[in-house]
Amino acid sequence: MNKNKQIYEYAREQYARLEIDTDKVIDELAKVPVSLHCWQGDDVKGFDSDSPLSGGIQTTGNYPGAARSPKELFDDLRKVIEITPGKKKINVHASYAVFEDGKFRNRNELIPEDFKAWVDFAKEYNVGLDFNPTFFGHSMVKDGLTLTSPDESVREFWIEHGKACVRIANYFASELGEPCVLNFWIGDGFKDIPADRLSPRLRYKDSLDKILSEKYDPRMVKPCVESKVFGIGVESYTAGSSEFTLNYAATHKGVLPLMDNGHYHPTEVVYDKIPALLAYYDEIALHITRPVRWDSDHVVLFDDETREMAKEIVRNDALGRVYMALDFFDASINRIGAWSVGFRSWQKALLNAMLTPNDKLKALQENGEFGKLMAYQEEIKTYPFGAVWDEYCDRCLVRSDFGWYDDVISYEKEVLSKRR
Ligand code: RNT
Ligand code: ZN
């Protein structure tokens, strides 16, 4: 037996003492889909517009090698898929339309065929697709507003965009036979103190109603509304606040709330909100990210919030009820590395949660044995998690140790550095 296997055997025994079957956990984790966002590869630029990024989001950094075309982005995604363990879905933004017939279509007139390249890509890897209308980075964003704009023609344009996206989500789901999460996020809001906080929200509500009047199969298309507390240049007011989106979802059957853990006040934690929503909703969605001071989109790490979020999903037996998607963009380091660190971190968090003796710990809580609960939770932290992670990577045929980053470096040398 080689050294790694010996180490794994030891870990397996350790976890068996906690009545955790590591082999079973590895098999289960490999089946859990996590949505990999397409927009880390090109700093959220997309293919359909030269307008600068808007909506209160921003990428910083100019590390060389960003994807400049559909081909380059697909190549880069392939690399990320190759070096990360676990089942994926791909999360596509509407701004990533690939006009194969050479004819440009504006966002209000997009058709399913404009995303055939994505469907082909998904079929190549046997993965599902999720989708997002793109309400930013476009000349029809007026004074920072889209679906909430007082200008009817602006609103109309974006409603048409939303409807087109419902049709595209239907197309994804029917082509791939996997549900398509269709996430609505708008950056609409104000930099400074508004005089009317209600009218934009009423318009947002009405616009969403109009968009979702477009027909879709609720078992296969999962519309979500994502909230946000503020954006860059949109500091004083965001129309799609947490209360707004939660109540929209609660009052519209089939619509899911989406929580992005970068979209709350800095001391709020999304892990506590997950069970709160699970008490009311059959299904919810997440954007997994890492907020740092003013920014909501740093690369996901295996940190406390990430670990606790995964625990809330796993120990509440909600892996089948929570649609998990990554959402971050870092242009200051190698983008393939950033993408992969984020994906691997969430995989680690899920694995860690699955290697926690959740039933035992819950029983301690129910029995009021809080001292013992604390002691046990601390002991588990030093269990040989790394050995199981290595074995999981091995079985997924990806490198577990530092070696995977060598692949990132060679790809940078051979491919990315030539993009000038
Ligand atoms: C922005 C939201 C949103 C975007 C993507 C690109 O703050 O998190 O989800 O990051 O749609
Ligand atoms: Zn998000």
Side-chain angles (χ1 to χ4, degrees), residues 39 44 57 93 136 185 226 228 260 263 287 297 327 329:
W39 51 91
V44 211
I57 53 177
H93 240 288
F136 54 79
W185 171 73
E226 177 179 8
K228 194 163 180 177
D260 177 311
H263 290 186
H287 271 184
D297 293 293
D327 181 17
F329 24 94

Side-chain angles (χ1 to χ4, degrees), residues 56-71:
I57 53 177
Q58 207 167 302
T59 50
T60 52
N62 54 359
Y63 198 84
R68 298 161 304 178
S69 65
K71 185 193 173 300

